[in-house]
Amino acid sequence: MAAENNGLSRKTAKAGIWTVGAKVIAKGVDFVALLFLAHFLSPTDFGVVAMAMTVVYVVEAVFELPLASALVRIPDPTERMYDTALTLSALRGLLVGLLLIVCAWPLSRVYDEPRLIPLVFVLALAPIQRGLMSPKITVFSRQMDFRRQAGLDVISKCIAAAAAIVVAALTHSYWSIALATVLTPAVLMVGSYWLAPMQVRFTLKDWPMFSDMVSWNLVSQLVTAVNFQSGRLVLPRFIGPHPFGNYAMASDLSNVPFQIIATPLGSPLNVAFVAASQHGTLKETYLKATGGIFILLAPVFCIAAFLAEPLVRLFLGEKWSESAPILAGLAWVCFIDILPLPMAPLAIALNQTRRIAIRNLKQALFFFPTTVIGAWAWGIQGAIAAAIANAIFVTFISMQDVRAMTLATLREQVVSLAGPVAAIVVCTPILIYGNMLMSGQQNMLLLAACLAVTGTLYMGVYFAIIYGLGVVFKEQDNAENLVRQFVQIGLARLGLRRPVRP
């Protein structure tokens, strides 16, 4: 049983490497494209598209359907189930597109920007195209093979970015950004049928197989959209546009690690939890997954928290200096938010999405009023304090749900993080001393060099401690031991040591 669980953990980790790797490359493509677009376009162009994308995000988030997760959970999906999934996805895309078209005129009135009407009309094509993707692409997810999907994601980003850059260079128009937004799902849609061909047939005959997951997910996504936007909805009522701009920038930066690492891990974790529930190793797999995600994300947020000031000065410039303390505070919010991350894939794998909906509803009832009070009384600092309190609250109720689903006690969930937390405590003086050395440094080359040395030293010592813990406790089935195994396998493949049995 231990060997079987260990093999599943390695498969999950490899799948995570592919998905995270693809996400990193895709984000890199986005960043390069952003630099080019910023050269050819004006801030006003970006502002117009950002206004339109606000409503696109909210509507899409509300009606997001976990159909791929539902298909992975079904032991042996039939052709009719795939047809039903395609029909539900297409209906969802059409509904989102129609709602966006309906919202276009009111949105243009609210922002006093008539250019939003045609822009939103065009952007409405994106969810419609996403809704027509082949659901048979989940066959590869079931096999824990995410290479094809990872490649398709990167290719779609590259094609869209190249087209947007060319159009921006030729026209200097914000339509180049809209083109990239619409072209990416178009490439994904075509590519999905090339990788996983299927005949398009629309039916809802197997709707009962998806009904519970879809209905509860609709409630969950509605509340999640409100939770995610709470700070941005409330703060502008109490502070001016300049400080709110600093808050928005810091918020976007603090969420990048989640977008790159945590989000793409959702599918591999969902598949792993389904398999673990069938093998009777659900608790062990969940604890190892939680520890692994914490090992990856925790040091990143610590760097953002302790080195926020030099990071902002180097990458954003002095005019964004006020966002540095905000970034530091939000980094600690994200640090706390790591622990409950695998709870959602777990609930989806066990067909208990109602737990996600109930948790998100509790969060909304707690977060929104505390954010209003905090922002009204202390501005941005109050909003950050409310976010920290909310993160602690959500972590606690998520741990209770995990205990109900996996039988992992609260103590076991906390103990699974003891190793990486100890490593962070030991390494923190490196960040504190590095920040002291960089304080007031005006030479950007020296600042970049100090940041690189400090970050590299911190990460090197941190992962050396994690590896050491894996060696010392190699008999334990935990995330640190999994890191040890992968390091040893990697060294063996490079010929730096003899192959060892994990």
Side-chain angles (χ1 to χ4, degrees), residues 169-246:
L170 295 175
T171 67
H172 294 268
S173 169
Y174 60 82
W175 283 105
S176 57
I177 307 176
L179 174 64
T181 305
V182 173
L183 191 55
T184 300
V187 176
L188 288 173
M189 179 185 65
V190 174
S192 69
Y193 285 95
W194 180 66
L195 293 174
M198 67 172 287
Q199 184 177 349
V200 176
R201 292 184 296 262
F202 295 113
T203 180
L204 291 173
K205 291 183 179 179
D206 279 340
W207 158 250
M209 301 295 297
F210 302 90
S211 58
D212 182 68
M213 182 173 289
V214 168
S215 59
W216 278 106
N217 188 77
L218 182 63
V219 177
S220 175
Q221 290 300 125
L222 174 61
V223 180
T224 299
V226 174
N227 288 336
F228 187 78
Q229 296 293 328
S230 286
R232 299 190 182 217
L233 289 172
V234 172
L235 270 175
R237 302 289 298 177
F238 302 103
I239 63 175
H242 180 76
F244 180 68
N246 284 301

Side-chain angles (χ1 to χ4, degrees), residues 22 34 195 216 227 250 267 273 291 293 297 322 338 349 378 386 420 431 435 450 499:
L34 183 63
L195 293 174
W216 278 106
N227 288 336
S267 294
F273 292 148
I293 293 174
L297 285 174
E322 294 178 16
I338 298 173
W378 300 287
L431 297 179
N435 187 55
C450 289

Side-chain angles (χ1 to χ4, degrees), residues 264-300:
L265 284 177
S267 294
L269 285 177
N270 178 252
V271 176
F273 292 148
V274 170
S277 66
Q278 296 169 349
H279 298 152
T281 59
L282 187 58
K283 180 172 79 170
E284 295 79 6
T285 301
Y286 182 85
L287 293 177
K288 188 182 293 187
T290 304
I293 293 174
F294 192 86
I295 286 174
L296 290 175
L297 285 174
V300 177

Side-chain angles (χ1 to χ4, degrees), residues 7 38 60 72 97 119-120 148 161 164-165 200 304 307 312 329 334 347 361 375 386 445 486:
E60 282 219 75
V72 169
L119 187 57
V120 172
R148 295 171 179 83
I165 291 171
V200 176
L307 303 182
V312 167
C334 295
L361 180 59
L445 288 178
F486 270 95

